[in-house]
Amino acid sequence: MKLDVHVQLKEQMDKTIEALKFEFGTIRAGRANPSMLDKVRVDYYGTPTPVNQMAAVAVSEGRILTITPWDKSSIHNIEKAIAESDVEISPTNDGSVIRLVVPQLTEERRKELAKKVSKASETFKVRIRNDRRDANDEIKKMEKAGELAEDEAKKALDEVQKITDEYIKTIEKLTTEKEEDIMSV
């Protein structure tokens, strides 16, 4: 039995998984990756603008990220935004291109990043559980209003739990992959 509640729940949980993937993409793993800069906003004529909307961001030589601004006058603003961000890499500017050299991770730093991944994972699991609670509340309301029979409501609640378990497993899989990525670099 597919209820609107189930469809909405899956849509909401899909958004949560996408947000987790975005979050994990911003955690560097010892390799240059353009998504490291996804959270960096540059003050561009009074508007906070993502770096990738102001410049070409590319990986060169594996551990070097190059940022080539389309508007050369914004190079100092981009450099400043990166320096002040949580990217934790000092940018170098040659007047036309900004370079970020991603250092090799120390064992201690890998462990810190793995903890950060684990913490993010738990946060997103809580979001999934909150979505489950909201769906369960909706089903119980429908049962109380007479829109669902008791056995239909029970099946619907079981389906919500099944969907939740599926998404929690997805989060755990993504977390394991990211932690392995960090620890193996």
Side-chain angles (χ1 to χ4, degrees):
M1 168 174 76
K2 281 283 181 221
L3 291 173
D4 274 351
V5 173
H6 294 138
V7 173
Q8 290 171 353
L9 178 65
K10 282 187 171 194
E11 287 173 1
Q12 190 61 39
M13 289 184 175
D14 282 339
K15 288 177 187 174
T16 300
I17 295 296
E18 287 307 308
L20 176 67
K21 287 177 181 176
F22 175 82
E23 183 71 25
F24 282 177
T26 64
I27 299 173
R28 66 185 176 95
R31 287 186 286 279
N33 183 342
S35 66
M36 293 167 47
L37 301 175
D38 283 352
K39 289 184 178 179
V40 178
R41 298 288 182 262
V42 180
D43 181 31
Y44 190 62
Y45 296 108
T47 304
T49 308
V51 173
N52 62 4
Q53 291 182 12
M54 298 179 62
V57 181
V59 176
S60 66
E61 303 171 33
R63 289 193 12 239
I64 299 174
L65 202 59
T66 58
I67 301 121
T68 310
W70 294 307
D71 175 1
K72 299 294 181 203
S73 69
S74 66
I75 196 163
H76 294 293
N77 289 349
I78 294 172
E79 182 180 23
K80 181 180 177 202
I82 293 169
E84 293 173 352
S85 73
D86 64 355
V87 172
E88 299 174 358
I89 300 173
S90 297
T92 56
N93 168 2
D94 69 5
S96 61
V97 175
I98 298 171
R99 286 182 181 74
L100 295 178
V101 179
V102 179
Q104 288 285 58
L105 295 175
T106 63
E107 189 65 27
E108 185 179 320
R109 183 66 180 143
R110 288 177 210 269
K111 288 178 182 174
E112 284 175 27
L113 290 173
K115 283 181 187 174
K116 190 174 179 179
V117 165
S118 182
K119 187 176 179 185
S121 173
E122 285 307 313
T123 300
F124 283 89
K125 284 180 185 177
V126 168
R127 284 193 197 178
I128 292 289
R129 292 182 189 117
N130 288 340
D131 293 341
R132 173 188 61 193
R133 183 198 60 228
D134 294 345
N136 285 344
D137 290 348
E138 186 64 30
I139 290 167
K140 289 173 186 171
K141 253 192 255 175
M142 291 169 72
E143 180 185 12
K144 208 173 210 175
E147 297 172 34
L148 284 176
E150 186 178 333
D151 61 332
E152 289 175 321
K154 171 80 173 104
K155 285 180 186 174
L157 292 170
D158 289 346
E159 179 67 17
V160 166
Q161 186 59 49
K162 195 171 115 186
I163 293 168
T164 302
D165 293 343
E166 193 179 302
Y167 280 88
I168 294 289
K169 279 184 188 158
T170 301
I171 288 175
E172 289 169 352
K173 180 177 176 268
L174 291 169
T175 302
T176 301
E177 288 171 0
K178 185 64 177 181
E179 286 173 343
E180 286 172 0
D181 186 33
I182 289 169
M183 298 309 277
S184 70
V185 174

mmCIF file of all heavy atoms in Angstrom, residues 42 44 51-58 66-79 82 92-99:
data_model
loop_
_atom_site.group_PDB
_atom_site.id
_atom_site.type_symbol
_atom_site.label_atom_id
_atom_site.label_comp_id
_atom_site.label_asym_id
_atom_site.label_seq_id
_atom_site.Cartn_x
_atom_site.Cartn_y
_atom_site.Cartn_z
ATOM 1 N N VAL A 42 31.903 34.252 -1.490
ATOM 2 C CA VAL A 42 32.731 35.426 -1.723
ATOM 3 C C VAL A 42 31.828 36.647 -1.800
ATOM 4 O O VAL A 42 30.785 36.610 -2.460
ATOM 5 C CB VAL A 42 33.522 35.270 -3.050
ATOM 6 C CG1 VAL A 42 34.395 36.482 -3.305
ATOM 7 C CG2 VAL A 42 34.344 33.998 -3.039
ATOM 8 N N TYR A 44 30.781 39.475 -3.494
ATOM 9 C CA TYR A 44 30.936 39.954 -4.864
ATOM 10 C C TYR A 44 29.900 41.036 -5.102
ATOM 11 O O TYR A 44 28.721 40.751 -5.250
ATOM 12 C CB TYR A 44 30.768 38.774 -5.837
ATOM 13 C CG TYR A 44 31.130 39.082 -7.263
ATOM 14 C CD1 TYR A 44 32.423 39.461 -7.608
ATOM 15 C CD2 TYR A 44 30.180 38.981 -8.267
ATOM 16 C CE1 TYR A 44 32.754 39.735 -8.925
ATOM 17 C CE2 TYR A 44 30.502 39.240 -9.588
ATOM 18 C CZ TYR A 44 31.793 39.619 -9.916
ATOM 19 O OH TYR A 44 32.125 39.894 -11.214
ATOM 20 N N VAL A 51 32.057 30.293 -4.939
ATOM 21 C CA VAL A 51 33.281 30.399 -5.749
ATOM 22 C C VAL A 51 33.062 29.834 -7.151
ATOM 23 O O VAL A 51 33.481 30.428 -8.143
ATOM 24 C CB VAL A 51 34.456 29.667 -5.057
ATOM 25 C CG1 VAL A 51 35.673 29.612 -5.967
ATOM 26 C CG2 VAL A 51 34.803 30.341 -3.749
ATOM 27 N N ASN A 52 32.366 28.688 -7.243
ATOM 28 C CA ASN A 52 32.197 28.047 -8.559
ATOM 29 C C ASN A 52 31.307 28.852 -9.511
ATOM 30 O O ASN A 52 31.215 28.516 -10.684
ATOM 31 C CB ASN A 52 31.697 26.607 -8.418
ATOM 32 C CG ASN A 52 30.343 26.505 -7.774
ATOM 33 O OD1 ASN A 52 29.700 27.514 -7.467
ATOM 34 N ND2 ASN A 52 29.894 25.290 -7.554
ATOM 35 N N GLN A 53 30.665 29.909 -9.018
ATOM 36 C CA GLN A 53 29.894 30.782 -9.899
ATOM 37 C C GLN A 53 30.702 31.998 -10.331
ATOM 38 O O GLN A 53 30.248 32.805 -11.133
ATOM 39 C CB GLN A 53 28.610 31.245 -9.208
ATOM 40 C CG GLN A 53 27.609 30.134 -9.013
ATOM 41 C CD GLN A 53 26.323 30.629 -8.362
ATOM 42 O OE1 GLN A 53 26.072 31.816 -8.249
ATOM 43 N NE2 GLN A 53 25.506 29.680 -7.922
ATOM 44 N N MET A 54 31.914 32.109 -9.778
ATOM 45 C CA MET A 54 32.768 33.261 -10.082
ATOM 46 C C MET A 54 34.048 32.865 -10.800
ATOM 47 O O MET A 54 34.768 33.726 -11.293
ATOM 48 C CB MET A 54 33.170 33.968 -8.784
ATOM 49 C CG MET A 54 32.032 34.518 -7.998
ATOM 50 S SD MET A 54 32.624 35.281 -6.494
ATOM 51 C CE MET A 54 33.650 36.574 -7.125
ATOM 52 N N ALA A 55 34.341 31.556 -10.800
ATOM 53 C CA ALA A 55 35.629 31.121 -11.324
ATOM 54 C C ALA A 55 35.561 29.675 -11.798
ATOM 55 O O ALA A 55 34.690 28.914 -11.378
ATOM 56 C CB ALA A 55 36.680 31.246 -10.221
ATOM 57 N N ALA A 56 36.514 29.323 -12.638
ATOM 58 C CA ALA A 56 36.682 27.928 -13.038
ATOM 59 C C ALA A 56 37.529 27.265 -11.956
ATOM 60 O O ALA A 56 38.607 27.749 -11.618
ATOM 61 C CB ALA A 56 37.380 27.845 -14.380
ATOM 62 N N VAL A 57 37.006 26.188 -11.396
ATOM 63 C CA VAL A 57 37.722 25.464 -10.346
ATOM 64 C C VAL A 57 38.094 24.103 -10.913
ATOM 65 O O VAL A 57 37.228 23.365 -11.379
ATOM 66 C CB VAL A 57 36.840 25.300 -9.085
ATOM 67 C CG1 VAL A 57 37.598 24.574 -7.996
ATOM 68 C CG2 VAL A 57 36.350 26.656 -8.578
ATOM 69 N N ALA A 58 39.395 23.795 -10.895
ATOM 70 C CA ALA A 58 39.860 22.543 -11.495
ATOM 71 C C ALA A 58 40.951 21.908 -10.645
ATOM 72 O O ALA A 58 41.645 22.585 -9.884
ATOM 73 C CB ALA A 58 40.385 22.805 -12.899
ATOM 74 N N THR A 66 43.123 24.575 -8.724
ATOM 75 C CA THR A 66 43.329 25.893 -9.321
ATOM 76 C C THR A 66 41.982 26.595 -9.467
ATOM 77 O O THR A 66 40.994 25.983 -9.862
ATOM 78 C CB THR A 66 44.013 25.799 -10.703
ATOM 79 O OG1 THR A 66 43.218 24.999 -11.560
ATOM 80 C CG2 THR A 66 45.408 25.226 -10.595
ATOM 81 N N ILE A 67 41.979 27.861 -9.124
ATOM 82 C CA ILE A 67 40.777 28.688 -9.215
ATOM 83 C C ILE A 67 41.122 29.850 -10.146
ATOM 84 O O ILE A 67 41.977 30.670 -9.823
ATOM 85 C CB ILE A 67 40.346 29.208 -7.828
ATOM 86 C CG1 ILE A 67 40.073 28.018 -6.900
ATOM 87 C CG2 ILE A 67 39.112 30.081 -7.928
ATOM 88 C CD1 ILE A 67 40.902 28.017 -5.686
ATOM 89 N N THR A 68 40.463 29.891 -11.295
ATOM 90 C CA THR A 68 40.708 30.942 -12.278
ATOM 91 C C THR A 68 39.459 31.819 -12.371
ATOM 92 O O THR A 68 38.466 31.424 -12.988
ATOM 93 C CB THR A 68 41.030 30.334 -13.661
ATOM 94 O OG1 THR A 68 42.041 29.338 -13.507
ATOM 95 C CG2 THR A 68 41.497 31.400 -14.635
ATOM 96 N N PRO A 69 39.496 33.005 -11.743
ATOM 97 C CA PRO A 69 38.319 33.887 -11.755
ATOM 98 C C PRO A 69 38.008 34.396 -13.158
ATOM 99 O O PRO A 69 38.916 34.669 -13.941
ATOM 100 C CB PRO A 69 38.725 35.060 -10.862
ATOM 101 C CG PRO A 69 39.956 34.624 -10.147
ATOM 102 C CD PRO A 69 40.596 33.566 -10.971
ATOM 103 N N TRP A 70 36.722 34.488 -13.460
ATOM 104 C CA TRP A 70 36.307 35.038 -14.743
ATOM 105 C C TRP A 70 36.487 36.552 -14.744
ATOM 106 O O TRP A 70 36.781 37.153 -15.760
ATOM 107 C CB TRP A 70 34.858 34.652 -15.054
ATOM 108 C CG TRP A 70 34.741 33.171 -15.263
ATOM 109 C CD1 TRP A 70 35.473 32.405 -16.130
ATOM 110 C CD2 TRP A 70 33.876 32.263 -14.595
ATOM 111 N NE1 TRP A 70 35.111 31.079 -16.037
ATOM 112 C CE2 TRP A 70 34.123 30.963 -15.095
ATOM 113 C CE3 TRP A 70 32.907 32.402 -13.612
ATOM 114 C CZ2 TRP A 70 33.449 29.838 -14.661
ATOM 115 C CZ3 TRP A 70 32.232 31.289 -13.180
ATOM 116 C CH2 TRP A 70 32.505 30.014 -13.709
ATOM 117 N N ASP A 71 36.293 37.157 -13.587
ATOM 118 C CA ASP A 71 36.509 38.594 -13.420
ATOM 119 C C ASP A 71 37.781 38.739 -12.585
ATOM 120 O O ASP A 71 37.779 38.495 -11.383
ATOM 121 C CB ASP A 71 35.297 39.215 -12.698
ATOM 122 C CG ASP A 71 35.481 40.679 -12.380
ATOM 123 O OD1 ASP A 71 36.535 41.260 -12.728
ATOM 124 O OD2 ASP A 71 34.575 41.257 -11.741
ATOM 125 N N LYS A 72 38.878 39.099 -13.239
ATOM 126 C CA LYS A 72 40.193 39.158 -12.571
ATOM 127 C C LYS A 72 40.194 40.104 -11.366
ATOM 128 O O LYS A 72 40.980 39.930 -10.446
ATOM 129 C CB LYS A 72 41.293 39.568 -13.554
ATOM 130 C CG LYS A 72 41.472 38.616 -14.706
ATOM 131 C CD LYS A 72 41.974 37.262 -14.258
ATOM 132 C CE LYS A 72 42.163 36.358 -15.463
ATOM 133 N NZ LYS A 72 42.128 34.959 -15.146
ATOM 134 N N SER A 73 39.308 41.099 -11.367
ATOM 135 C CA SER A 73 39.274 42.043 -10.247
ATOM 136 C C SER A 73 38.752 41.391 -8.960
ATOM 137 O O SER A 73 38.922 41.946 -7.875
ATOM 138 C CB SER A 73 38.422 43.264 -10.600
ATOM 139 O OG SER A 73 37.054 42.886 -10.700
ATOM 140 N N SER A 74 38.154 40.221 -9.070
ATOM 141 C CA SER A 74 37.610 39.558 -7.880
ATOM 142 C C SER A 74 38.595 38.579 -7.238
ATOM 143 O O SER A 74 38.281 37.963 -6.232
ATOM 144 C CB SER A 74 36.317 38.819 -8.239
ATOM 145 O OG SER A 74 36.603 37.748 -9.120
ATOM 146 N N ILE A 75 39.801 38.468 -7.796
ATOM 147 C CA ILE A 75 40.753 37.462 -7.324
ATOM 148 C C ILE A 75 41.104 37.638 -5.843
ATOM 149 O O ILE A 75 41.194 36.663 -5.098
ATOM 150 C CB ILE A 75 42.023 37.413 -8.211
ATOM 151 C CG1 ILE A 75 42.802 36.117 -7.942
ATOM 152 C CG2 ILE A 75 42.898 38.638 -8.013
ATOM 153 C CD1 ILE A 75 43.806 35.788 -9.020
ATOM 154 N N HIS A 76 41.249 38.887 -5.406
ATOM 155 C CA HIS A 76 41.604 39.125 -3.999
ATOM 156 C C HIS A 76 40.443 38.786 -3.065
ATOM 157 O O HIS A 76 40.664 38.266 -1.968
ATOM 158 C CB HIS A 76 42.088 40.562 -3.796
ATOM 159 C CG HIS A 76 43.376 40.839 -4.515
ATOM 160 N ND1 HIS A 76 44.566 40.240 -4.167
ATOM 161 C CD2 HIS A 76 43.650 41.616 -5.587
ATOM 162 C CE1 HIS A 76 45.526 40.641 -4.978
ATOM 163 N NE2 HIS A 76 44.988 41.475 -5.862
ATOM 164 N N ASN A 77 39.207 39.054 -3.505
ATOM 165 C CA ASN A 77 38.039 38.705 -2.695
ATOM 166 C C ASN A 77 37.909 37.183 -2.554
ATOM 167 O O ASN A 77 37.574 36.677 -1.488
ATOM 168 C CB ASN A 77 36.752 39.269 -3.305
ATOM 169 C CG ASN A 77 36.666 40.772 -3.181
ATOM 170 O OD1 ASN A 77 37.452 41.395 -2.468
ATOM 171 N ND2 ASN A 77 35.727 41.368 -3.882
ATOM 172 N N ILE A 78 38.177 36.463 -3.643
ATOM 173 C CA ILE A 78 38.105 35.001 -3.609
ATOM 174 C C ILE A 78 39.180 34.464 -2.671
ATOM 175 O O ILE A 78 38.915 33.604 -1.821
ATOM 176 C CB ILE A 78 38.255 34.405 -5.030
ATOM 177 C CG1 ILE A 78 37.062 34.797 -5.899
ATOM 178 C CG2 ILE A 78 38.399 32.884 -4.967
ATOM 179 C CD1 ILE A 78 37.207 34.432 -7.371
ATOM 180 N N GLU A 79 40.388 34.992 -2.819
ATOM 181 C CA GLU A 79 41.511 34.550 -1.980
ATOM 182 C C GLU A 79 41.193 34.787 -0.499
ATOM 183 O O GLU A 79 41.407 33.919 0.349
ATOM 184 C CB GLU A 79 42.779 35.302 -2.390
ATOM 185 C CG GLU A 79 44.007 34.874 -1.622
ATOM 186 C CD GLU A 79 45.255 35.641 -2.058
ATOM 187 O OE1 GLU A 79 45.128 36.758 -2.605
ATOM 188 O OE2 GLU A 79 46.349 35.113 -1.822
ATOM 189 N N ILE A 82 38.522 32.314 0.818
ATOM 190 C CA ILE A 82 39.084 30.972 1.038
ATOM 191 C C ILE A 82 39.935 30.964 2.299
ATOM 192 O O ILE A 82 39.836 30.052 3.122
ATOM 193 C CB ILE A 82 39.905 30.513 -0.191
ATOM 194 C CG1 ILE A 82 38.979 30.294 -1.388
ATOM 195 C CG2 ILE A 82 40.690 29.238 0.127
ATOM 196 C CD1 ILE A 82 39.697 30.092 -2.710
ATOM 197 N N THR A 92 47.413 30.566 -2.591
ATOM 198 C CA THR A 92 48.481 31.380 -3.176
ATOM 199 C C THR A 92 47.939 31.980 -4.463
ATOM 200 O O THR A 92 47.231 31.318 -5.216
ATOM 201 C CB THR A 92 49.758 30.554 -3.462
ATOM 202 O OG1 THR A 92 49.426 29.466 -4.309
ATOM 203 C CG2 THR A 92 50.386 30.038 -2.191
ATOM 204 N N ASN A 93 48.302 33.236 -4.697
ATOM 205 C CA ASN A 93 47.732 34.002 -5.794
ATOM 206 C C ASN A 93 48.878 34.521 -6.654
ATOM 207 O O ASN A 93 49.767 35.203 -6.159
ATOM 208 C CB ASN A 93 46.911 35.138 -5.169
ATOM 209 C CG ASN A 93 46.489 36.199 -6.140
ATOM 210 O OD1 ASN A 93 46.751 36.138 -7.327
ATOM 211 N ND2 ASN A 93 45.828 37.216 -5.621
ATOM 212 N N ASP A 94 48.835 34.218 -7.951
ATOM 213 C CA ASP A 94 49.894 34.720 -8.843
ATOM 214 C C ASP A 94 49.390 35.877 -9.717
ATOM 215 O O ASP A 94 50.020 36.236 -10.695
ATOM 216 C CB ASP A 94 50.469 33.592 -9.703
ATOM 217 C CG ASP A 94 49.495 33.066 -10.746
ATOM 218 O OD1 ASP A 94 48.388 33.628 -10.896
ATOM 219 O OD2 ASP A 94 49.838 32.067 -11.420
ATOM 220 N N GLY A 95 48.248 36.436 -9.352
ATOM 221 C CA GLY A 95 47.698 37.566 -10.104
ATOM 222 C C GLY A 95 46.586 37.184 -11.055
ATOM 223 O O GLY A 95 45.731 37.992 -11.381
ATOM 224 N N SER A 96 46.588 35.932 -11.527
ATOM 225 C CA SER A 96 45.519 35.508 -12.426
ATOM 226 C C SER A 96 44.882 34.188 -11.989
ATOM 227 O O SER A 96 43.758 33.901 -12.357
ATOM 228 C CB SER A 96 46.028 35.393 -13.864
ATOM 229 O OG SER A 96 47.054 34.425 -13.930
ATOM 230 N N VAL A 97 45.614 33.405 -11.208
ATOM 231 C CA VAL A 97 45.117 32.108 -10.750
ATOM 232 C C VAL A 97 45.420 31.948 -9.258
ATOM 233 O O VAL A 97 46.494 32.342 -8.789
ATOM 234 C CB VAL A 97 45.795 30.948 -11.536
ATOM 235 C CG1 VAL A 97 45.371 29.598 -10.994
ATOM 236 C CG2 VAL A 97 45.471 31.043 -13.016
ATOM 237 N N ILE A 98 44.472 31.360 -8.549
ATOM 238 C CA ILE A 98 44.684 31.025 -7.135
ATOM 239 C C ILE A 98 44.934 29.529 -7.076
ATOM 240 O O ILE A 98 44.219 28.752 -7.717
ATOM 241 C CB ILE A 98 43.455 31.393 -6.277
ATOM 242 C CG1 ILE A 98 43.194 32.898 -6.323
ATOM 243 C CG2 ILE A 98 43.639 30.908 -4.844
ATOM 244 C CD1 ILE A 98 41.883 33.316 -5.690
ATOM 245 N N ARG A 99 45.926 29.132 -6.317
ATOM 246 C CA ARG A 99 46.227 27.711 -6.153
ATOM 247 C C ARG A 99 46.077 27.315 -4.693
ATOM 248 O O ARG A 99 46.505 28.038 -3.803
ATOM 249 C CB ARG A 99 47.650 27.397 -6.621
ATOM 250 C CG ARG A 99 47.795 27.405 -8.113
ATOM 251 C CD ARG A 99 49.213 27.050 -8.561
ATOM 252 N NE ARG A 99 49.323 27.099 -10.008
ATOM 253 C CZ ARG A 99 49.359 28.205 -10.731
ATOM 254 N NH1 ARG A 99 49.281 29.365 -10.148
ATOM 255 N NH2 ARG A 99 49.445 28.159 -12.052
#
